[in-house]
Amino acid sequence: MVSVFLIGIYVFVLSVFVGFEIISKVPPMLHTPLMSGTNAISGITLVGAVLAAGKGESNLAIGLGIAAVICGMINVVGGYMVTNRMLQMFRKKKEAGQSNG
Amino acid sequence: MDELQQWVNKDAVYLISAVLFIVGIKMLSSPESAALGNYLSALAMVLAVGVTLLQGGITDFRWIAIGMAIGAIIGFAASRLVKMTAMPQMVAIYNGLGGAASALVAISEFLRLQGQLAPFLTIVILLSLFVGTLTLSGSLVAFAKLQELVSGQPVVFPLQHPINLLGILGALGCGVWLVFHPGGMEYFWIVAGVALVLGVLVVIPIGGADMPVVIALLNSYSGIAVSLTGFVLENNVLIISGSLVGASGIFLTTEMCKAMNRSIWNVLFGGFGLTAEGAPAPATEIPGGGAVKSYSVEDAVTIMENSSSVVFVPGYGMAAARAQHQVRELGDALEARGIDVKYAIHPVAGRMPGHMNVLLAEANVPYDLLKDMDEINDEFKHTDVALVIGANDVVNPAANEDPSSPIYGMPILNVEQSRHVMVLKRSMNPGFAGIENMLFYRENTLMVFGDARATLSKMVDAISQD
């Protein structure tokens, strides 16, 4: 049991380093899409939420699971779509002239 | 269906998913690849959730389907309807939902495994519950402040810090008790309740202009909560993606603090903008008897038309007036006359990191004209006109010159080095921090009073009439 958690801690520590490394390369211009994009990624709790909703043994546990599914799904769908909407707006000079604005 | 279930290795899919999340964020390093990166990240999500549905041992899909449909509809509608000026509020809400989802999963797991929890599992469930709940209530307060449902001013009350400390100690005590006596549901709810109240108490004393830091920090908490959920479920893809979000939030938090030359402790506990007695900061002595030069739109336009370079300096005022389209129209009109136009963006301009860039991109300003503080600061001395649109503290020269100023040492945009500084401003009210801005009284500064959006429209009209 403890070793599983230890491996989890390894994974956690290493991916924090990876995270810092790649995120420090994101230009300040894209910091808002970075935040909404990471909002979408935190919707990954959906994995835990569907298990809770699908395997819960009491009505309370299932109810909590469904609530978590709704929250997670809003994050995933809303987060990715609004990030995409923002990223489509960033244009270079030559492209900007042709767009509808 | 059965064949597919046997053929797919769940953990391999989770691994692919984790790699795609990392590659997706990595592609955000340039605006050209960013949109594709976002699609890859979304694909990673579909894979991870898909394989969980397929191989999670779930027998009843009805409730999941209903929950997913409700969430998808709300998320879809929100992403279409939200205005770009309201992005800070939206991110605040999403931080809160992320925290809520983690807390709900933690509660559900605790109920399921009640009484048979190993100590380590109890600890991570409690941490996940605590961080998730705190993120939820803190984010709701941040949302209310940004949406101006409650005052954006710092709200301070006596014994603030002792009360917070008492809450933390209380939650810690309940947690320790639960580790040794698994199954004490009432103590579990106390931890949740304390976290809910603490989230409110921690965010309520923080003022509107410090919201970029708060949103970034809550973003990080929502990621940490996801990682903790990963420990609860022994699922590496949750641990990895949660830590990416956590790292992103912490990185942005430190960037914002650096841009204000303040420590995170000062932002969170400083009650900035209020002195110890809760009174506004005293006004500094104003040179020249406090007289400012107020110009008409026409006179301001004449100066711009006779210049060869103009730098726009947007701030929260531009977002509040929703003036980004008018800014771009003015920029286009000036460019059409052969004038060099750029946009200078301070890291904490607006209410969240990158806020100004998104607004100007929405108004179709090409991103190669958007310049970071470090890129543009040396150019102001060769600039004819710096046009300040609703920015205040980020252009206050007191940060460079006046050691007694509360913002002394904060890196600012050196607009005062330009030949002319034009400030579009509603009135002479000082900015958020209540700090008098010496820029307005400078020899080379002229003020154009009025609503930024209306003033900019008039400027565009005046230029096109010639």
PDB file of all heavy atoms in Angstrom, chain B residues 210-228:
ATOM      1  N   ASP B 210      -5.704  43.111  -6.871  1.00  0.00           N
ATOM      2  CA  ASP B 210      -4.846  41.956  -6.560  1.00  0.00           C
ATOM      3  C   ASP B 210      -5.454  40.648  -7.042  1.00  0.00           C
ATOM      4  O   ASP B 210      -4.910  39.578  -6.818  1.00  0.00           O
ATOM      5  CB  ASP B 210      -4.597  41.864  -5.046  1.00  0.00           C
ATOM      6  CG  ASP B 210      -3.630  42.937  -4.580  1.00  0.00           C
ATOM      7  OD1 ASP B 210      -2.935  43.498  -5.436  1.00  0.00           O
ATOM      8  OD2 ASP B 210      -3.576  43.201  -3.376  1.00  0.00           O
ATOM      9  N   MET B 211      -6.599  40.740  -7.723  1.00  0.00           N
ATOM     10  CA  MET B 211      -7.294  39.530  -8.173  1.00  0.00           C
ATOM     11  C   MET B 211      -6.458  38.655  -9.114  1.00  0.00           C
ATOM     12  O   MET B 211      -6.594  37.434  -9.073  1.00  0.00           O
ATOM     13  CB  MET B 211      -8.631  39.894  -8.829  1.00  0.00           C
ATOM     14  CG  MET B 211      -9.735  40.108  -7.835  1.00  0.00           C
ATOM     15  SD  MET B 211     -10.018  38.626  -6.838  1.00  0.00           S
ATOM     16  CE  MET B 211     -10.255  39.360  -5.232  1.00  0.00           C
ATOM     17  N   PRO B 212      -5.573  39.229  -9.971  1.00  0.00           N
ATOM     18  CA  PRO B 212      -4.765  38.330 -10.810  1.00  0.00           C
ATOM     19  C   PRO B 212      -4.014  37.292  -9.973  1.00  0.00           C
ATOM     20  O   PRO B 212      -3.939  36.124 -10.350  1.00  0.00           O
ATOM     21  CB  PRO B 212      -3.781  39.273 -11.510  1.00  0.00           C
ATOM     22  CG  PRO B 212      -4.457  40.591 -11.529  1.00  0.00           C
ATOM     23  CD  PRO B 212      -5.291  40.644 -10.282  1.00  0.00           C
ATOM     24  N   VAL B 213      -3.483  37.728  -8.835  1.00  0.00           N
ATOM     25  CA  VAL B 213      -2.735  36.805  -7.978  1.00  0.00           C
ATOM     26  C   VAL B 213      -3.668  35.755  -7.379  1.00  0.00           C
ATOM     27  O   VAL B 213      -3.355  34.561  -7.352  1.00  0.00           O
ATOM     28  CB  VAL B 213      -2.022  37.574  -6.841  1.00  0.00           C
ATOM     29  CG1 VAL B 213      -1.250  36.622  -5.958  1.00  0.00           C
ATOM     30  CG2 VAL B 213      -1.114  38.633  -7.411  1.00  0.00           C
ATOM     31  N   VAL B 214      -4.832  36.217  -6.909  1.00  0.00           N
ATOM     32  CA  VAL B 214      -5.759  35.304  -6.249  1.00  0.00           C
ATOM     33  C   VAL B 214      -6.269  34.238  -7.227  1.00  0.00           C
ATOM     34  O   VAL B 214      -6.318  33.051  -6.892  1.00  0.00           O
ATOM     35  CB  VAL B 214      -6.949  36.082  -5.645  1.00  0.00           C
ATOM     36  CG1 VAL B 214      -7.962  35.139  -5.048  1.00  0.00           C
ATOM     37  CG2 VAL B 214      -6.442  37.049  -4.602  1.00  0.00           C
ATOM     38  N   ILE B 215      -6.626  34.679  -8.442  1.00  0.00           N
ATOM     39  CA  ILE B 215      -7.138  33.721  -9.426  1.00  0.00           C
ATOM     40  C   ILE B 215      -6.065  32.697  -9.770  1.00  0.00           C
ATOM     41  O   ILE B 215      -6.335  31.496  -9.856  1.00  0.00           O
ATOM     42  CB  ILE B 215      -7.597  34.430 -10.710  1.00  0.00           C
ATOM     43  CG1 ILE B 215      -8.731  35.390 -10.383  1.00  0.00           C
ATOM     44  CG2 ILE B 215      -8.101  33.430 -11.725  1.00  0.00           C
ATOM     45  CD1 ILE B 215      -9.254  36.077 -11.608  1.00  0.00           C
ATOM     46  N   ALA B 216      -4.820  33.178  -9.942  1.00  0.00           N
ATOM     47  CA  ALA B 216      -3.730  32.253 -10.272  1.00  0.00           C
ATOM     48  C   ALA B 216      -3.509  31.265  -9.141  1.00  0.00           C
ATOM     49  O   ALA B 216      -3.315  30.066  -9.363  1.00  0.00           O
ATOM     50  CB  ALA B 216      -2.455  33.036 -10.573  1.00  0.00           C
ATOM     51  N   LEU B 217      -3.586  31.760  -7.903  1.00  0.00           N
ATOM     52  CA  LEU B 217      -3.360  30.882  -6.756  1.00  0.00           C
ATOM     53  C   LEU B 217      -4.483  29.837  -6.632  1.00  0.00           C
ATOM     54  O   LEU B 217      -4.220  28.658  -6.395  1.00  0.00           O
ATOM     55  CB  LEU B 217      -3.268  31.722  -5.477  1.00  0.00           C
ATOM     56  CG  LEU B 217      -2.712  31.002  -4.255  1.00  0.00           C
ATOM     57  CD1 LEU B 217      -1.266  30.606  -4.500  1.00  0.00           C
ATOM     58  CD2 LEU B 217      -2.799  31.890  -3.020  1.00  0.00           C
ATOM     59  N   LEU B 218      -5.730  30.277  -6.835  1.00  0.00           N
ATOM     60  CA  LEU B 218      -6.846  29.328  -6.760  1.00  0.00           C
ATOM     61  C   LEU B 218      -6.771  28.320  -7.906  1.00  0.00           C
ATOM     62  O   LEU B 218      -7.148  27.157  -7.748  1.00  0.00           O
ATOM     63  CB  LEU B 218      -8.184  30.076  -6.791  1.00  0.00           C
ATOM     64  CG  LEU B 218      -8.513  30.872  -5.522  1.00  0.00           C
ATOM     65  CD1 LEU B 218      -9.684  31.812  -5.763  1.00  0.00           C
ATOM     66  CD2 LEU B 218      -8.829  29.942  -4.355  1.00  0.00           C
ATOM     67  N   ASN B 219      -6.275  28.767  -9.059  1.00  0.00           N
ATOM     68  CA  ASN B 219      -6.044  27.874 -10.186  1.00  0.00           C
ATOM     69  C   ASN B 219      -5.091  26.758  -9.762  1.00  0.00           C
ATOM     70  O   ASN B 219      -5.334  25.569 -10.006  1.00  0.00           O
ATOM     71  CB  ASN B 219      -5.431  28.709 -11.321  1.00  0.00           C
ATOM     72  CG  ASN B 219      -5.381  27.989 -12.651  1.00  0.00           C
ATOM     73  OD1 ASN B 219      -4.357  27.976 -13.312  1.00  0.00           O
ATOM     74  ND2 ASN B 219      -6.478  27.373 -13.057  1.00  0.00           N
ATOM     75  N   SER B 220      -4.034  27.159  -9.069  1.00  0.00           N
ATOM     76  CA  SER B 220      -3.069  26.193  -8.581  1.00  0.00           C
ATOM     77  C   SER B 220      -3.700  25.229  -7.564  1.00  0.00           C
ATOM     78  O   SER B 220      -3.499  24.017  -7.630  1.00  0.00           O
ATOM     79  CB  SER B 220      -1.895  26.962  -7.978  1.00  0.00           C
ATOM     80  OG  SER B 220      -1.275  26.228  -6.990  1.00  0.00           O
ATOM     81  N   TYR B 221      -4.502  25.772  -6.640  1.00  0.00           N
ATOM     82  CA  TYR B 221      -5.173  24.909  -5.652  1.00  0.00           C
ATOM     83  C   TYR B 221      -6.070  23.885  -6.335  1.00  0.00           C
ATOM     84  O   TYR B 221      -6.137  22.730  -5.921  1.00  0.00           O
ATOM     85  CB  TYR B 221      -6.039  25.748  -4.699  1.00  0.00           C
ATOM     86  CG  TYR B 221      -5.274  26.555  -3.698  1.00  0.00           C
ATOM     87  CD1 TYR B 221      -5.927  27.463  -2.867  1.00  0.00           C
ATOM     88  CD2 TYR B 221      -3.892  26.425  -3.554  1.00  0.00           C
ATOM     89  CE1 TYR B 221      -5.234  28.226  -1.940  1.00  0.00           C
ATOM     90  CE2 TYR B 221      -3.198  27.179  -2.640  1.00  0.00           C
ATOM     91  CZ  TYR B 221      -3.872  28.077  -1.835  1.00  0.00           C
ATOM     92  OH  TYR B 221      -3.190  28.830  -0.927  1.00  0.00           O
ATOM     93  N   SER B 222      -6.792  24.324  -7.380  1.00  0.00           N
ATOM     94  CA  SER B 222      -7.699  23.383  -8.045  1.00  0.00           C
ATOM     95  C   SER B 222      -6.881  22.231  -8.641  1.00  0.00           C
ATOM     96  O   SER B 222      -7.312  21.082  -8.636  1.00  0.00           O
ATOM     97  CB  SER B 222      -8.549  24.093  -9.103  1.00  0.00           C
ATOM     98  OG  SER B 222      -7.798  24.384 -10.256  1.00  0.00           O
ATOM     99  N   GLY B 223      -5.663  22.553  -9.143  1.00  0.00           N
ATOM    100  CA  GLY B 223      -4.795  21.496  -9.665  1.00  0.00           C
ATOM    101  C   GLY B 223      -4.301  20.565  -8.574  1.00  0.00           C
ATOM    102  O   GLY B 223      -4.292  19.336  -8.732  1.00  0.00           O
ATOM    103  N   ILE B 224      -3.914  21.152  -7.440  1.00  0.00           N
ATOM    104  CA  ILE B 224      -3.436  20.320  -6.322  1.00  0.00           C
ATOM    105  C   ILE B 224      -4.551  19.387  -5.859  1.00  0.00           C
ATOM    106  O   ILE B 224      -4.308  18.217  -5.556  1.00  0.00           O
ATOM    107  CB  ILE B 224      -2.924  21.226  -5.178  1.00  0.00           C
ATOM    108  CG1 ILE B 224      -1.653  21.960  -5.646  1.00  0.00           C
ATOM    109  CG2 ILE B 224      -2.635  20.418  -3.919  1.00  0.00           C
ATOM    110  CD1 ILE B 224      -1.228  23.098  -4.753  1.00  0.00           C
ATOM    111  N   ALA B 225      -5.784  19.918  -5.823  1.00  0.00           N
ATOM    112  CA  ALA B 225      -6.924  19.085  -5.422  1.00  0.00           C
ATOM    113  C   ALA B 225      -7.081  17.893  -6.368  1.00  0.00           C
ATOM    114  O   ALA B 225      -7.355  16.772  -5.931  1.00  0.00           O
ATOM    115  CB  ALA B 225      -8.210  19.922  -5.399  1.00  0.00           C
ATOM    116  N   VAL B 226      -6.866  18.137  -7.673  1.00  0.00           N
ATOM    117  CA  VAL B 226      -6.958  17.045  -8.651  1.00  0.00           C
ATOM    118  C   VAL B 226      -5.879  15.989  -8.382  1.00  0.00           C
ATOM    119  O   VAL B 226      -6.148  14.790  -8.376  1.00  0.00           O
ATOM    120  CB  VAL B 226      -6.835  17.586 -10.094  1.00  0.00           C
ATOM    121  CG1 VAL B 226      -6.695  16.442 -11.089  1.00  0.00           C
ATOM    122  CG2 VAL B 226      -8.037  18.431 -10.457  1.00  0.00           C
ATOM    123  N   SER B 227      -4.655  16.463  -8.126  1.00  0.00           N
ATOM    124  CA  SER B 227      -3.566  15.530  -7.818  1.00  0.00           C
ATOM    125  C   SER B 227      -3.899  14.677  -6.602  1.00  0.00           C
ATOM    126  O   SER B 227      -3.668  13.470  -6.583  1.00  0.00           O
ATOM    127  CB  SER B 227      -2.272  16.297  -7.534  1.00  0.00           C
ATOM    128  OG  SER B 227      -1.528  16.431  -8.704  1.00  0.00           O
ATOM    129  N   LEU B 228      -4.451  15.324  -5.563  1.00  0.00           N
ATOM    130  CA  LEU B 228      -4.811  14.598  -4.344  1.00  0.00           C
ATOM    131  C   LEU B 228      -5.881  13.551  -4.654  1.00  0.00           C
ATOM    132  O   LEU B 228      -5.837  12.433  -4.133  1.00  0.00           O
ATOM    133  CB  LEU B 228      -5.287  15.581  -3.276  1.00  0.00           C
ATOM    134  CG  LEU B 228      -4.182  16.454  -2.672  1.00  0.00           C
ATOM    135  CD1 LEU B 228      -4.766  17.646  -1.939  1.00  0.00           C
ATOM    136  CD2 LEU B 228      -3.304  15.633  -1.732  1.00  0.00           C
TER     137      LEU B 228
END
